[in-house]
Amino acid sequence: MSVLPAAAAAGASISPVALFLQADIVVKTVMIGLLAASIWTWSIIIGHVLRMRRLGGANERFEQDFWKAEDIDTYYTAHRASELPSARVFLAGVQEWRRSTKGPAVDRTGTRARLASIMGSAADAEMDRLSDKLNILATTGAVAPFVGLFGTVWGIMRAFTDIAAQENSSLAVVAPGIAEALFATALGLFAAIPAVIAYNRLTHGLNRLEARLHRFADAFHATLSRELEAE
């Protein structure tokens, strides 16, 4: 008798689909949860990367055009509906400037303090908006390995139960349960590793953008301060 059909059957029995179908309901639930977490993680990663690339170029062009603009009021009117982070910091600064300087007597010290506070808050609000859902990546990276480990422990317990029930400790009896258990661990790592790497990289990019926003806010604040001194 040829051993090739038996080898082929053994190879098919340890395919991911076969391992899932052979697992009990607890391990299946763990596997489905980890796969769902992985899909959700990748959707967040891809969406965030595309958004940051789009915003990065547009934000840089906005700042370059702003420093070339000759009239702040005209530039404000043209960009008052913009959703770019730098634009929102700029809009918040102009709005506070108008409120603080519309009276006959201008409190220069108070105006400077309010401008710094308002633009700093606008920059922080933009970072909160852009960092939305990144906490999901951190949670997935921290929790997924332990969820996979739970599936592994449960699968190994089931394998030992089968040994006791069949009174047979041969590899043929033990291997399927252990394979299912280890597959759960692999799925946990499959979900966790990209989440951790992406969280670190995306957080680094957000930190750079935050520093850029605050530099823009400081430079615009200095411009408005010079306008106060000229009045």
Side-chain angles (χ1 to χ4, degrees):
M1 179 181 294
S2 172
V3 297
L4 292 179
S13 67
I14 60 172
S15 67
V17 175
L19 291 174
F20 174 78
L21 294 176
Q22 294 167 10
D24 71 351
I25 186 61
V26 174
V27 180
K28 281 182 179 178
T29 302
V30 170
M31 292 179 180
I32 292 172
L34 291 172
L35 283 174
S38 180
I39 294 171
W40 193 12
T41 293
W42 277 107
S43 67
I44 293 173
I45 293 171
I46 294 172
H48 193 84
V49 167
L50 293 177
R51 180 173 60 174
M52 290 301 294
R53 285 183 177 178
R54 184 180 67 253
L55 285 178
N59 213 48
E60 184 176 355
R61 288 191 296 273
F62 172 87
E63 293 185 17
Q64 291 175 349
D65 293 340
F66 168 75
W67 295 116
K68 295 176 183 177
E70 297 180 356
D71 184 25
I72 289 180
D73 290 330
T74 302
Y75 199 77
Y76 172 86
T77 302
H79 295 85
R80 64 189 309 167
S82 176
E83 295 186 355
L84 294 174
S86 291
R88 291 189 172 184
V89 173
F90 162 72
L91 297 175
V94 172
Q95 290 166 3
E96 180 57 37
W97 166 268
R98 290 179 174 180
R99 285 193 295 266
S100 296
T101 59
K102 66 180 180 181
V106 177
D107 180 6
R108 290 179 172 82
T109 301
T111 298
R112 289 190 179 93
R114 286 190 295 271
L115 286 171
S117 176
I118 288 295
M119 289 192 288
S121 296
D124 292 339
E126 288 303 300
M127 297 314 302
D128 288 341
R129 181 174 66 90
L130 292 175
S131 63
D132 184 39
K133 296 183 180 179
L134 286 189
N135 62 317
I136 296 174
L137 300 183
T139 302
T140 300
V143 173
F146 294 101
V147 176
L149 183 60
F150 169 75
T152 297
V153 172
W154 187 273
I156 291 176
M157 289 171 58
R158 180 169 172 260
F160 280 111
T161 301
D162 291 340
I163 292 174
Q166 299 182 29
E167 297 182 353
N168 187 349
S169 60
S170 68
L171 186 61
V173 174
V174 179
I178 294 179
E180 297 161 15
L182 295 177
F183 186 54
T185 297
L187 287 178
L189 296 175
F190 180 75
I193 292 173
V196 172
I197 294 174
Y199 177 79
N200 290 333
R201 293 303 304 165
L202 295 176
T203 301
H204 175 69
L206 285 175
N207 289 339
R208 293 180 60 185
L209 178 59
E210 182 179 14
R212 179 166 190 158
L213 284 180
H214 282 288
R215 286 196 300 269
F216 175 74
D218 291 341
F220 186 39
H221 182 272
T223 300
L224 295 178
S225 293
R226 286 192 293 271
E227 289 290 329
L228 280 175
E229 294 173 359
E231 291 185 357

